[in-house]
Amino acid sequence: MKAIKDEDFKKVMRKAEEHFGVDPAYFGEEGYYFVQMQLIKMGYSLPKPYSDEDYNDAKKIGLDLDDWNDYKRYYKLDEYDAIT
């Protein structure tokens, strides 16, 4: 696994802060997974934040867990936001 370049990490963190409006750490797992998925999109080899089983189950219902919006739908993260 190659080391994450500082400038790439800073880009991802800026994108996450724009997305959430604050440091993604305030969003716990959701913030962590968002950052992780952005780094994967940039070509870094990191463990995916979902299992192969979940990925296949999501595909069956038309969702792609590599897409942030589908990921939130599958794991019902928007519903969590609504109750907090």
Side-chain angles (χ1 to χ4, degrees), residues 2-43:
K2 68 180 180 177
I4 299 169
K5 296 178 187 174
D6 285 341
E7 61 267 17
D8 288 344
F9 186 74
K10 287 176 184 176
K11 284 180 194 174
V12 167
M13 290 303 290
R14 274 194 304 272
K15 184 171 185 166
E17 287 174 2
E18 289 171 8
H19 176 80
F20 291 109
V22 294
D23 186 313
Y26 286 106
F27 286 84
E29 278 189 22
E30 184 177 356
Y32 170 77
Y33 291 145
F34 182 88
V35 169
Q36 190 175 23
M37 290 174 74
Q38 296 305 312
L39 289 168
I40 290 168
K41 286 180 182 179
M42 293 179 85

Side-chain angles (χ1 to χ4, degrees), residues 53-54 57-58 61 63 65 70-76:
E53 182 180 355
D54 284 354
D57 288 346
I61 58 173
L63 299 175
L65 295 184
D70 286 353
Y71 181 90
K72 289 193 329 181
R73 264 187 229 108
Y74 183 78
Y75 288 108
K76 299 178 172 73

